[in-house]
Amino acid sequence: MRITQSMMKDQIVNNIDNVLRRISTLQRQASSGNKFDLPSQDPSDAVLTVNYNAVLEKLKTYKSSLQQVQNNFQGYDNITGQIMAAVQQVNSLVVQAANGTNTPSDRAAIADEIKQISKTIAQLGGTNVSGNYMFAGSSNSNPITSMVSGGSTIYYYTSNSATSARLSLNIGTVTLDSNVNVVDLFNYTQTVSGATQSASLISYVTGSGGTVHTGLLDKIVKDLQNNNVSNLQSDLGALQDYENSLSKVTTKIGATEQSLQSLMNSNESLNTYVTQLVSSAQGADMVKVLSDLALQETVYQAALQTSANSLLPTLANFLK
């Protein structure tokens, strides 16, 4: 078969076009840093990139949830610490009131001081952050309310399935308790006459009828107001029982904070790893791209020179 001048020209033009397309692709990769702009340019890596980005979005959501719960537990840690300090202050006042040298008026003054501490503790239990009550369980309403009884203000909470609800956070296969409620905060177990019974630091209400159960602080105030010194020793024992209970809650809070920090670290490590996978699937190897680009530009120049030498002169060349 005879190879004509036209066939040679078409082949040369086709080869030069192929080189120009490769140069264009490499220039795009060099400027954007990506292997592809459209999925059709690299379908397999495009699918990997979409999947990896979906994983990164999940990790971002998990991180946001972890940070929110972590902030809450830092608040729980701070508040339980303040309540513990307040209860220890009450303990010191009761020890002082039990001293036989105190007069009824002295104990009444101590009762007034404990009432102020009780108010502070109740306010801590009703802490609101950005519209959310920290110890309200699954309820959105204020967990601590008050009423006037016998001329005194009594602070109390409603003990039901909402205020005692335990919320949880699911991160992959890990499930963590994500809240501390008013029952956790104020309830404790007390031993009376050899039998254990549930008690509370502040008063609480149960049932549809709103049965009021007197809390330890209100009982101490009454004992002091009534100058009932004999009850103060049992009150001190109950305060110790509550401190032991709150210490367990504090320990659990600390353990949860450690677990949350561990999950945060794992999330950060996994985020870094998946980001590297995205870069590997989507990002261009710049050293290779620039090397190939220089090579293709050399090939292009050589193709132009070869075509100029191999094509026969035309009439236009002679007219020059």
Side-chain angles (χ1 to χ4, degrees), residues 59-72:
L59 290 174
K60 182 179 178 181
T61 301
Y62 288 157
K63 182 178 181 179
S64 177
S65 299
L66 285 169
Q67 284 178 329
Q68 182 178 352
V69 175
Q70 191 176 47
N71 290 338
N72 287 344

Side-chain angles (χ1 to χ4, degrees), residues 203-222:
S203 298
Y204 64 100
V205 174
T206 58
S208 57
T211 303
V212 179
H213 302 266
T214 302
L216 176 58
L217 293 178
D218 289 328
K219 178 181 180 302
I220 291 173
V221 168
K222 287 182 180 179

Side-chain angles (χ1 to χ4, degrees), residues 30-48:
S31 62
S32 67
N34 295 327
K35 292 180 184 178
F36 56 88
D37 291 326
L38 299 173
S40 59
Q41 294 169 342
D42 194 336
S44 60
D45 279 339
V47 170
L48 287 175

Side-chain angles (χ1 to χ4, degrees), residues 100-286:
T101 60
N102 285 286
T103 64
S105 60
D106 292 333
R107 295 190 178 97
I110 292 174
D112 289 338
E113 191 171 349
I114 292 176
K115 281 196 290 184
Q116 289 301 314
I117 297 173
S118 177
K119 179 180 179 180
T120 299
I121 291 174
Q123 289 173 339
L124 289 170
T127 299
N128 183 303
V129 179
S130 301
N132 296 316
Y133 291 99
M134 293 187 65
F135 299 98
S138 61
S139 173
N140 291 323
S141 60
N142 191 341
I144 308 294
T145 51
S146 62
M147 63 181 174
V148 177
S149 176
S152 298
T153 300
I154 295 177
Y155 298 94
Y156 68 96
Y157 64 92
T158 300
S159 180
N160 55 29
S161 58
T163 57
S164 62
R166 297 192 182 282
L167 308 181
S168 61
L169 175 67
N170 298 317
I171 301 294
T173 59
V174 179
T175 301
L176 287 175
D177 286 340
S178 60
N179 76 312
V180 175
N181 56 56
V182 283
V183 177
D184 294 328
L185 190 64
F186 294 123
N187 261 27
Y188 66 98
T189 300
Q190 184 179 16
T191 302
V192 179
S193 301
T196 59
Q197 63 182 30
S198 180
S200 176
L201 182 67
I202 68 173
S203 298
Y204 64 100
V205 174
T206 58
S208 57
T211 303
V212 179
H213 302 266
T214 302
L216 176 58
L217 293 178
D218 289 328
K219 178 181 180 302
I220 291 173
V221 168
K222 287 182 180 179
D223 288 340
L224 290 170
Q225 289 174 335
N226 295 332
N227 199 35
N228 195 336
V229 181
S230 60
N231 283 352
L232 294 181
Q233 289 302 321
S234 63
D235 292 338
L236 286 171
L239 282 171
Q240 185 60 58
D241 289 336
Y242 174 75
E243 286 186 38
N244 293 338
S245 176
L246 188 60
S247 292
K248 293 178 182 178
V249 174
T250 302
T251 299
K252 184 179 179 181
I253 290 172
T256 303
E257 284 187 289
Q258 289 182 348
S259 298
L260 287 167
Q261 187 57 54
S262 178
L263 286 171
M264 287 286 287
N265 293 339
S266 297
N267 180 279
E268 191 66 32
S269 298
L270 189 55
N271 187 288
T272 300
Y273 175 65
V274 176
T275 300
Q276 291 173 345
L277 292 178
V278 172
S279 178
S280 176
Q282 187 178 24
D285 183 343
M286 296 305 294

